[in-house]
Amino acid sequence: TQQTFLLFCQLLYFITSFVFHRSIYDDQPNAHKRFMEKLDARIRNHDREIEKMCNFHHQGFVDAITELLKVRADAEKLMVTAQTEEVIRCRIQQRNMATTVEKLQLCIPEFCLYYAALKTMEQLEKVYIPRVSQYRFCQIMAENLPRLREEIKEISMSDLKDFLESIRKHSDKVGETAMRQAQQHRTFNSAVAKQASMGHYTKPVYSLNGRTHTPNGQLMDDDTGDEEEADEEILTAQDLVDFSPVYRCLHIYTVLGDRETFENYYRKQRKKQARLVLQPQANMHETVEGYRKYFNQIVGFFVVEDHILHATRGLVTRAFTDELWNMALSKIIAVLRTHSSYCDDPDLVLELKNLIVIFADTLQGYGFPVNRLFDLLFEVRDQYNETLLKKWALVFREIFELDNYSPIPVDTEEEYKLVVSRFPFHDAEIEKQDFPKKLPMSQSVPQIYTQVKEFIYASLKFSESLHRSSTEIDDMLRKSTNLLLTRTLSSCLQNLIKKPHIGLTELVQIIINTTHLEQACRYLEEFITNITNVSPETVHTTRLYGLSTFKDARHAAEGEIYTKLNQKIDEFIQLADYEWGMAESDGRASGYLMDLINFLRSTFQVFTHLPGKVAQTACMSACKHLSTSLMQMLLDTELKQISMGAIQQFNLDVIQCELFASSEPVPGFQGDTLQLAFIDLRQLLDLFMVWDWSTYLADYGQPTSKYLRVNPATALALLEKMKDTSKKNNIFSQFRKNDRDKQKLIETVVKQLRSLVNGMSS
């Protein structure tokens, strides 16, 4: 068995140990000494292992002790906090009991008087008068008892009407006190939540009727507030309103068997008062005080009803208060939706949002459902964002108007650090340069970046206290920031680019600015992530669309550069003053053209800061537009006559254009790519200068033709302008009048060109 096996093992161990120890002493004389030496060596080895193990875990042990010391301090704080809350709860309970006793003592005399009067009348009517009913005075007394009861009812009803009038006037004060206390407890609860974030803490909402409600509507004892607040006077509904007329009237009508009449009258009057309370002032949307007064009156009304609900049995029911609240809630939402739409001040909208949150939290503490109010806040949030966008549109416009559109000069290290602290700029080459130096962007770039961050902060303010998750807040911030970038800032940039006073230099700087702002978008992503602690890798995270905004603005600026450059070329072309009938050229290029080329050369030097493709596209666009404009000048239908001298002068101007193109005004062109912009003009002028019609006509249509880019219609139009119908001052005057062969050749060329043109048109 198992027990026998264990006994056998123990016996075997004993015998083995005995034999081993005996062998130590019975063998050689030094065996015992060697055994002790080995045993000491083994002990030293174990000591070293133990020491290593202790050294290895020493720092962890020290850290654990340090953490325990920290926890001990926190535990002491929690113990103090728990004891403080216990003291506060006891003090509040004592105050509530004292207040209750005091109020009951005030009511007892009147209740006793009325109760005694009613009891006496009841005894007279049911006990004593029937015994002496044969006497006339008893009959008179019996007849007067109903009238006395009615008088008592009328007196108590008069007191009730006075109460209803008084409570209508004092609802504002009751509501103001309730909302203020709710706000104080919200602030306190936030502080407690930070101190006890690792514990379980239920957020209470203070109520004026001496009870505290949790958000789900359950009652709990008041155990919040610090020692200073506990020492202050905490007002209750009884402190602000004298409810004794209600109690007295209810008791009288109950004793007289007419309670239902009283209940119906009270509920009817309170419904009327509710409708009056829900009517806002016409100018409520103009100031925050208008909204605050509106909310105070509503809160005061429902605080009173909540007190009546719990202080009386059946005068009002939960169903009645719920009906009133649902009616009020629909009206409140409609009023707020209408009046908030009139507001164009984001600060006022933000204050309205804070009031709605406190209003909702206050009434939620009394068990009224407020989810629809928080849903309304999403609409108010959209209104808030719209007002923010309008405000920041003005901010952006002012920044653009005050910008000098020049690189930012920095003279010292401090100035450089100041700029990079406002805008994430990093450039290794510029950092290596000595001071003073210039940063590529203009002063509007760090200002725009700073204002976008300020907008994010402003948008975040609305998300506070909305009981929303970090992910929802992150989504709100990103969506509102996207609207700022894609709508407001984009619109401001597009309008800026289209303004007449924005020249080529400014457009170049705008392109540089948008490039740097585009690169800074990832830092805005990080900025929002740091605020909300929501990873940008989250599946549902909204991305910022700043990249597309700045790319679109840059493309618009590039297009405007091409347009303005062509417009400037047109202005120079309009200064051209050719003498089309001149006998021979001046021997030098026209002044307007040299001025135009100098302008283009200086302009393209500014383009060195632009991306290569932008500068190349602008240069190619300018050369093509110049070539087209010169061609149109030659073929202008209003120009009727051109001499060979004018052709020669025009050729000198085109040569200057070709020299400009070959001088590589913008780096990056391969070979004679830029010169090809003038190829049509060059081949046309060569054809007329050399008078090489035989080659043109012979090679026409061949891909290897020397004059491949010369259109027959173009050549014919120019040749027609050189033929003088009056036979004076034209190309043919240089031929001798008897040279009929060449004249026939010209006529032959004209005919052949016309046939080519007709063939193309057919």
Side-chain angles (χ1 to χ4, degrees):
T1 64
Q2 185 176 7
Q3 292 181 345
T4 305
F5 177 74
L6 290 174
L7 290 173
F8 174 77
C9 290
Q10 291 176 354
L11 180 62
L12 180 63
Y13 173 76
F14 174 78
I15 295 172
T16 304
S17 300
F18 176 79
V19 172
F20 174 74
H21 286 86
R22 184 176 180 82
S23 64
I24 293 175
Y25 291 97
D26 293 346
D27 289 349
Q28 301 177 4
N30 295 328
H32 176 264
K33 183 179 180 180
R34 289 196 303 272
F35 171 75
M36 294 302 297
E37 290 175 353
K38 290 183 179 180
L39 184 61
D40 291 339
R42 177 63 61 87
I43 291 172
R44 287 193 297 274
N45 288 336
H46 281 295
D47 288 341
R48 284 195 294 270
E49 291 295 330
I50 293 171
E51 185 177 359
K52 288 181 181 179
M53 184 66 68
C54 291
N55 289 336
F56 179 76
H57 291 287
H58 174 70
Q59 186 59 43
F61 175 75
V62 172
D63 292 340
I65 294 299
T66 303
E67 291 296 327
L68 284 174
L69 291 175
K70 292 180 180 179
V71 171
R72 183 178 66 181
D74 293 337
E76 291 175 354
K77 291 181 180 179
L78 288 175
M79 290 176 63
V80 172
T81 301
Q83 292 172 355
T84 301
E85 292 179 354
E86 181 67 24
V87 171
I88 292 171
R89 182 171 65 252
C90 291
R91 288 186 181 181
I92 292 175
Q93 288 176 345
Q94 290 174 353
R95 182 181 292 110
N96 291 343
M97 287 187 291
T99 302
T100 302
V101 171
E102 179 184 355
K103 298 302 179 181
L104 287 174
Q105 288 175 345
L106 292 176
C107 295
I108 285 174
E110 294 191 30
F111 276 122
C112 290
L113 290 175
Y114 279 98
Y115 180 78
L118 294 173
K119 194 67 176 176
T120 299
M121 285 191 292
E122 184 179 5
Q123 288 178 347
L124 285 172
E125 185 177 28
K126 294 183 178 180
V127 179
Y128 299 110
I129 290 179
R131 295 178 182 177
V132 290
S133 59
Q134 67 273 21
Y135 299 105
R136 179 154 181 81
F137 76 91
C138 293
Q139 295 177 2
I140 295 173
M141 290 179 62
E143 293 173 356
N144 287 333
L145 286 179
R147 181 178 59 80
L148 291 174
R149 288 194 184 95
E150 291 299 323
E151 288 180 0
I152 294 174
K153 288 171 62 177
E154 290 175 2
I155 293 172
S156 64
M157 182 59 71
S158 177
D159 292 342
L160 177 66
K161 291 178 179 179
D162 293 340
F163 166 81
L164 293 175
E165 180 65 22
S166 174
I167 197 62
R168 187 179 68 84
K169 296 178 180 179
H170 291 86
S171 290
D172 188 14
K173 180 64 175 177
V174 175
E176 178 186 357
T177 306
M179 290 183 66
R180 182 174 65 251
Q181 291 177 352
Q183 187 173 14
Q184 291 172 351
H185 279 267
R186 165 183 284 277
T187 304
F188 173 75
N189 292 337
S190 298
V192 171
K194 291 180 181 178
Q195 294 179 357
S197 58
M198 299 302 294
H200 299 282
Y201 183 79
T202 303
K203 183 177 77 66
V205 181
Y206 191 77
S207 70
L208 279 178
N209 52 24
R211 299 180 309 281
T212 301
H213 299 260
T214 59
N216 60 12
Q218 296 177 348
L219 294 177
M220 61 180 289
D221 291 335
D222 286 316
D223 60 350
T224 57
D226 53 25
E227 292 185 1
E228 293 182 0
E229 290 179 348
D231 293 333
E232 296 177 358
E233 180 183 3
I234 300 178
L235 298 177
T236 64
Q238 295 94 330
D239 295 323
L240 299 172
V241 180
D242 180 15
F243 290 95
S244 59
V246 180
Y247 305 148
R248 186 165 56 247
C249 197
L250 175 62
H251 177 71
I252 290 171
Y253 272 74
T254 302
V255 171
L256 296 177
D258 205 9
R259 179 187 178 103
E260 184 177 355
T261 300
F262 175 73
E263 291 178 356
N264 293 336
Y265 176 82
Y266 178 84
R267 296 179 187 182
K268 181 179 179 181
Q269 293 302 314
R270 290 299 280 167
K271 281 186 177 181
K272 289 181 179 179
Q273 289 187 343
R275 294 188 178 94
L276 292 175
V277 166
L278 296 171
Q279 290 296 329
Q281 295 181 351
N283 61 344
M284 183 178 73
H285 61 276
E286 296 178 358
T287 63
V288 68
E289 291 303 322
Y291 287 109
R292 181 176 285 112
K293 184 176 181 181
Y294 181 68
F295 287 135
N296 287 343
Q297 291 176 345
I298 296 173
V299 171
F301 177 90
F302 283 99
V303 165
V304 169
E305 287 308 293
D306 181 79
H307 177 80
I308 294 295
L309 173 67
H310 292 90
T312 63
R313 295 183 179 180
L315 178 56
V316 294
T317 62
R318 174 56 68 182
F320 173 75
T321 56
D322 288 345
E323 179 187 354
L324 275 181
W325 172 244
N326 290 331
M327 179 270 291
L329 189 58
S330 299
K331 179 65 175 178
I332 293 168
I333 291 174
V335 167
L336 294 178
R337 185 178 288 128
T338 300
H339 282 261
S340 64
S341 64
Y342 298 146
C343 184
D344 55 1
D345 181 5
D347 294 333
L348 180 55
V349 178
L350 185 61
E351 290 187 83
L352 171 60
K353 165 256 171 182
N354 292 331
L355 281 177
I356 294 175
V357 171
I358 298 171
F359 173 74
D361 282 353
T362 304
L363 289 173
Q364 188 178 32
Y366 292 93
F368 296 104
V370 294
N371 291 337
R372 291 175 61 189
L373 284 174
F374 283 103
D375 293 339
L376 173 68
L377 283 174
F378 283 98
E379 298 180 30
V380 179
R381 181 200 65 194
D382 295 338
Q383 175 67 16
Y384 177 70
N385 285 336
E386 287 297 324
T387 58
L388 283 183
L389 293 175
K390 291 178 182 178
K391 178 180 178 180
W392 257 260
L394 298 176
V395 172
F396 290 150
R397 288 172 193 164
E398 184 177 5
I399 290 174
F400 290 141
E401 288 175 1
L402 298 178
D403 194 7
N404 58 8
Y405 297 98
S406 300
I408 301 176
V410 286
D411 298 330
T412 62
E413 181 73 21
E414 289 73 18
E415 291 182 7
Y416 179 79
K417 290 181 178 179
L418 179 62
V419 174
V420 297
S421 67
R422 297 169 57 202
F423 181 77
F425 174 78
H426 306 285
D427 189 304
E429 294 298 326
I430 293 180
E431 290 177 357
K432 293 178 183 177
Q433 297 175 7
D434 296 329
F435 292 98
K437 53 189 174 183
K438 291 184 177 181
L439 306 184
M441 65 279 189
S442 67
Q443 62 185 7
S444 64
V445 171
Q447 292 174 351
I448 291 293
Y449 182 80
T450 301
Q451 285 302 321
V452 172
K453 292 171 66 176
E454 289 296 324
F455 175 89
I456 294 173
Y457 278 130
S459 183
L460 177 64
K461 288 182 180 179
F462 195 92
S463 302
E464 296 173 350
S465 306
L466 288 187
H467 313 299
R468 299 294 173 181
S469 66
S470 298
T471 304
E472 290 176 304
I473 294 176
D474 182 88
D475 188 61
M476 292 178 190
L477 287 181
R478 292 177 184 273
K479 286 181 178 179
S480 59
T481 306
N482 276 333
L483 283 176
L484 178 74
L485 296 176
T486 60
R487 200 173 78 184
T488 305
L489 182 56
S490 176
S491 176
C492 290
L493 283 170
Q494 296 292 343
N495 293 335
L496 172 69
I497 291 167
K498 297 294 182 181
K499 287 189 174 181
H501 71 275
I502 297 296
L504 291 170
T505 303
E506 289 82 1
L507 288 171
V508 170
Q509 188 62 56
I510 289 173
I511 291 177
I512 296 171
N513 289 351
T514 53
T515 301
H516 286 282
L517 287 172
E518 179 183 341
Q519 295 170 354
C521 280
R522 64 187 182 93
Y523 295 100
L524 291 176
E525 293 263 13
E526 294 175 2
F527 179 70
I528 295 177
T529 299
N530 292 335
I531 291 176
T532 61
N533 292 323
V534 176
S535 172
E537 305 301 325
T538 305
V539 177
H540 300 293
T541 300
T542 304
R543 298 295 180 182
L544 292 185
Y545 302 143
L547 298 179
S548 61
T549 295
F550 298 121
K551 284 182 180 178
D552 293 343
R554 187 161 59 252
H555 291 160
E558 293 169 5
E560 196 65 19
I561 283 180
Y562 308 148
T563 301
K564 287 188 179 294
L565 200 55
N566 292 345
Q567 290 175 350
K568 200 68 179 177
I569 291 173
D570 292 340
E571 292 177 6
F572 280 99
I573 292 294
Q574 290 176 1
L575 299 176
D577 188 18
Y578 287 103
E579 185 180 346
W580 297 108
M582 62 193 310
E584 58 182 16
S585 68
D586 295 339
R588 61 181 183 275
S590 304
Y592 88 92
L593 190 79
M594 296 307 299
D595 292 341
L596 171 57
I597 290 176
N598 290 334
F599 164 76
L600 292 176
R601 200 180 302 279
S602 62
T603 299
F604 291 138
Q605 287 178 353
V606 179
F607 285 13
T608 54
H609 297 295
L610 288 176
K613 291 184 178 180
V614 177
Q616 292 172 16
T617 303
C619 187
M620 177 61 75
S621 172
C623 289
K624 286 184 177 180
H625 185 73
L626 176 57
S627 175
T628 302
S629 299
L630 291 174
M631 180 69 77
Q632 290 175 349
M633 189 185 302
L634 278 179
L635 302 178
D636 188 2
T637 55
E638 295 184 1
L639 179 60
K640 303 298 183 183
Q641 187 176 351
I642 302 178
S643 66
M644 180 56 73
I647 293 292
Q648 293 170 350
Q649 181 64 42
F650 204 83
N651 182 61
L652 292 176
D653 292 346
V654 174
I655 289 174
Q656 290 299 320
C657 294
E658 292 172 325
L659 290 174
F660 168 74
S662 63
S663 66
E664 198 176 13
V666 171
F669 287 106
Q670 296 181 352
D672 58 352
T673 302
L674 195 58
Q675 291 173 267
L676 292 177
F678 301 97
I679 189 65
D680 291 1
L681 270 175
R682 171 48 49 212
Q683 291 187 7
L684 179 64
L685 292 174
D686 284 350
L687 176 60
F688 277 82
M689 294 288 294
V690 181
W691 207 252
D692 195 9
W693 295 104
S694 58
T695 302
Y696 175 76
L697 295 171
D699 295 344
Y700 178 77
Q702 301 296 323
T704 57
S705 173
K706 181 180 179 181
Y707 305 102
L708 181 64
R709 306 299 295 270
V710 178
N711 188 289
T714 303
L716 178 61
L718 185 57
L719 190 59
E720 290 285 351
K721 293 176 184 293
M722 298 181 68
K723 191 167 71 170
D724 185 9
T725 56
S726 63
K727 307 299 182 182
K728 296 179 181 179
N729 299 327
N730 60 69
I731 186 174
F732 303 109
S733 64
Q734 62 184 304
F735 299 121
R736 293 187 301 274
K737 291 183 179 181
N738 57 359
D739 195 349
R740 304 297 182 188
D741 294 338
K742 288 187 177 181
Q743 178 67 27
K744 290 181 179 179
L745 175 61
I746 297 301
E747 293 176 354
T748 302
V749 170
V750 171
K751 290 180 181 179
Q752 291 180 342
L753 287 175
R754 285 176 178 165
S755 64
L756 289 176
V757 172
N758 293 333
M760 292 173 60
S761 61
S762 61

